Amino acid sequence: MDHLAHVSNLRSSQSQTQISHLALDIGGSLIKLVYFCRYDDSCRDDGDELRSQNDSLCSKSDNNQPVLEGRLHFAKFETSKINDCLDFLRSMKLCLGVNSGSHDGTAPPSDKIFIKATGGGAYKFADLFKEKLGVSLDKEDEMECLVTGANFLLKAVHQEAFTYLDGQKEFVQIDPNDLYPYLLVNIGSGVSMIKVDGDGKFERVSGTSLGGGTFWGLGRLLTKCKNFDELLELSHQGNNRIVDMLVGDIYGGTDYAKIGLSSTTIASSFGKAISDSKELEDYQPEDVSRSLLRMISNNIGQISYLNALRFGLKRIFFAGFFIRGHAYTMDTISVAVNFWSKGEAKAMFLRHEGFLGALGAFMSYEKQCLDGLMVHKMQQKFPISASSAGDNIYCSLSSNSDENGSIECTVYGT
C-alpha cells in the first residue's frame, strides 16, 4: 500500500483514539514505526502537537492501577523521504515518551521529550528530529532491539510464525518454553544473521551485504523502477529463465542427476546475458527483476542454512522488509533451505517481519519509569507464563487486523 494512502487510512480509523508510546527503527532504506493507540479519547488535549506520556494514563483498574487499552499499530516510510515520516508524526499528533519526572500533568520542558529509536538513522537524523519536532531520539542498540522484538512476537502473538513452500502457508505453533536456540535472519538493506540463545543472549554470527538494498539498488538501475514495491510487483510478471543460465542449458536439457541437480536448477544467475547478443534494453524488465530477486533470495537462503548447520540450529526465522509477505521470495528462500539441508530444516517467516527493531525499541520503554508507567513484560492475552512484578501489556493478534497486523493490547501500570 502507498504510504500516503496508509496514512490517510490511519487518520480515518483512529479519529477517536489517543496515540502514545511511539518507537522508530530508522534503517538505510526504510523507517519503521510502532505506536500504541488507546481506544478511549478521554485524555486532555491542550492543543500541543506533542503531548506528555503521563497524559495517556487516564483510567484506573479496580486496584487503582493505571489502565490503558488499545492496539499496537505499524507504519513504514522510505528513509529517502524522511520528511513524509516527520509530517506523519506531526499531523497525527502522536504522544511521545517523556523523561520529565513530572507527575502533576504539566507539560515537560521541550528538551526532555524523547522518542525511542534504533537503527543507524537514529544517529544520522537525530538533529533533524530535534529541529523539526523538538524531540530527542533515545537510541537503543539495533541488534538487541531485533532480538527483543523477535522474542516478543514468537512468545506472545498467536500465529506469528509460518512456513511457506510450494504455495502452501502453514502456521507454526511455537512453544515459548522451547524456543531457544534459533537463528534470526534479518533482511534489511543488508543481512544480519543472529544466533539467539535466550532473552538478552545473542550473537551476530554472520551476514551479507547482498540484501534488500542490493535488490532495490540494482533493480532501480536495471529496470528504472522508482520504488521497492514497484520492483517487487514487476517481478511477479517475469520469467527468470530468460536471463538465468540453467543446468539444462549446459547439459542439453537434461538433469545432472549424479550430483542431484535438476535441469531447472540455476547454474548461473544472469548467465545467459554472456552468450546472448543483446543489450540491457533488449531484455524485459520483468525478467530482469525476477532473476535479481531469485539470485538474492537463493543466496540468503543458502548462507542462512550453512550458518544454522555451523551452530547446530534447527530453527531459522527470516524477517525484514525485503520479504514483505511476497510469495515468490518466501518460496525461493524456503527451496534454498530445503535443498541444502536435504529436507531436514525449514525456513520460517514472521507476520510482522519488518518491525522487529521498532518493536524492540518500543519495549525498551521498560528501562525507564515514565510517570508511573514501566512495562516489564509483554505477553499474550491468554498468559503464557506467570507475569513478573510490575506493569504488563497483554497482547493478542486482532482477528480483523489489516495488512500491517495491528495487535490488541492492555497496559496495566504500577
Side-chain angles (χ1 to χ4, degrees), residues 71-90:
R71 307 173 81 81
L72 285 175
H73 289 270
F74 306 86
K76 67 180 186 295
F77 298 85
E78 293 181 18
T79 305
S80 62
K81 300 176 181 178
I82 192 170
N83 284 327
D84 290 342
C85 176
L86 296 172
D87 290 342
F88 172 72
L89 297 179
R90 188 182 296 109

Side-chain angles (χ1 to χ4, degrees), residues 28-30 185-193 204 207-220 228 231-232 289 291-301 303-304 318-324 329 333:
S29 303
L30 292 172
V185 182
N186 191 67
I187 314 171
S189 299
V191 183
S192 286
M193 299 175 189
R204 185 183 187 274
T208 171
S209 62
L210 305 182
T214 312
F215 175 65
W216 192 349
L218 278 177
R220 185 174 182 275
F228 190 99
L231 183 63
L232 203 58
S289 63
S291 175
L292 184 60
L293 181 65
R294 190 73 180 265
M295 177 181 73
I296 293 172
S297 299
N298 264 329
N299 186 60
I300 293 171
I303 295 175
S304 299
F318 292 86
F321 256 122
F322 169 72
I323 302 171
R324 302 203 184 191
T329 305
I333 291 174

Side-chain angles (χ1 to χ4, degrees), residues 344-405:
E344 293 184 4
K346 287 186 177 181
M348 289 182 278
F349 306 93
L350 304 177
R351 288 192 61 184
H352 297 84
E353 56 196 14
F355 295 99
L356 304 191
L359 270 169
F362 177 89
M363 295 177 68
S364 71
Y365 278 111
E366 68 180 339
K367 295 178 182 178
Q368 287 115 349
C369 182
L370 302 180
D371 296 285
L373 177 63
M374 189 191 306
V375 179
H376 289 310
K377 195 169 187 178
M378 303 182 73
Q379 52 184 198
Q380 193 173 350
K381 206 167 188 179
F382 303 99
I384 54 179
S385 62
S387 64
S388 60
D391 300 356
N392 297 278
I393 297 182
Y394 295 89
C395 302
S396 62
L397 189 64
S398 168
S399 59
N400 61 348
S401 60
D402 60 17
E403 65 177 9
N404 291 303

Side-chain angles (χ1 to χ4, degrees), residues 121-177:
Y123 296 87
K124 183 177 181 179
F125 298 110
D127 291 342
L128 183 64
F129 274 79
K130 189 69 174 177
E131 175 188 347
K132 298 294 186 181
L133 296 180
V135 299
S136 300
L137 297 183
D138 188 16
K139 305 170 188 67
E140 295 292 332
D141 180 75
E142 184 175 357
M143 293 297 126
E144 186 173 348
C145 285
L146 285 172
V147 173
T148 299
N151 286 344
F152 158 61
L153 291 172
L154 291 170
K155 289 181 179 182
V157 180
H158 181 56
Q159 292 191 333
E160 176 64 31
F162 62 92
T163 60
Y164 192 95
L165 187 62
D166 297 328
Q168 297 297 314
K169 179 178 181 179
E170 294 185 9
F171 285 104
V172 178
Q173 184 64 40
I174 301 296
D175 180 356
N177 298 313

Side-chain angles (χ1 to χ4, degrees), residues 154 161-163 172 174 179 181-187 192-194 300-310 312-319 333-334 336-338 340-341 344-350:
L154 291 170
F162 62 92
T163 60
V172 178
I174 301 296
L179 174 60
Y182 67 85
L183 186 70
L184 175 62
V185 182
N186 191 67
I187 314 171
S192 286
M193 299 175 189
I194 308 169
I300 293 171
Q302 179 180 359
I303 295 175
S304 299
Y305 170 68
L306 292 177
N307 274 282
L309 181 65
R310 172 186 170 198
L313 305 175
K314 298 299 184 183
R315 294 188 180 94
I316 311 174
F317 295 102
F318 292 86
I333 291 174
S334 295
V337 171
N338 185 70
W340 289 106
S341 71
E344 293 184 4
K346 287 186 177 181
M348 289 182 278
F349 306 93
L350 304 177

Side-chain angles (χ1 to χ4, degrees), residues 222-341:
L222 295 172
T223 70
K224 308 303 181 185
C225 284
K226 291 182 171 57
N227 60 59
F228 190 99
D229 290 319
E230 182 183 350
L231 183 63
L232 203 58
E233 181 61 31
L234 194 66
S235 71
H236 274 284
Q237 309 159 29
N239 181 1
N240 68 290
R241 298 183 183 188
I242 303 297
V243 182
D244 294 339
M245 183 183 293
L246 310 182
V247 169
D249 296 323
I250 301 173
Y251 280 82
T254 64
D255 301 336
Y256 187 178
K258 186 176 181 179
I259 61 173
L261 297 178
S262 70
S263 62
T264 57
T265 300
I266 297 174
S268 176
S269 296
F270 287 88
K272 282 185 179 174
I274 299 172
S275 55
D276 287 346
S277 57
K278 296 179 181 179
E279 301 297 328
L280 177 60
E281 55 268 20
D282 296 322
Y283 290 97
Q284 294 299 315
E286 294 90 340
D287 301 330
V288 171
S289 63
R290 184 84 162 197
S291 175
L292 184 60
L293 181 65
R294 190 73 180 265
M295 177 181 73
I296 293 172
S297 299
N298 264 329
N299 186 60
I300 293 171
Q302 179 180 359
I303 295 175
S304 299
Y305 170 68
L306 292 177
N307 274 282
L309 181 65
R310 172 186 170 198
F311 293 101
L313 305 175
K314 298 299 184 183
R315 294 188 180 94
I316 311 174
F317 295 102
F318 292 86
F321 256 122
F322 169 72
I323 302 171
R324 302 203 184 191
H326 186 240
Y328 188 72
T329 305
M330 294 188 294
D331 201 68
T332 301
I333 291 174
S334 295
V335 167
V337 171
N338 185 70
F339 176 82
W340 289 106
S341 71

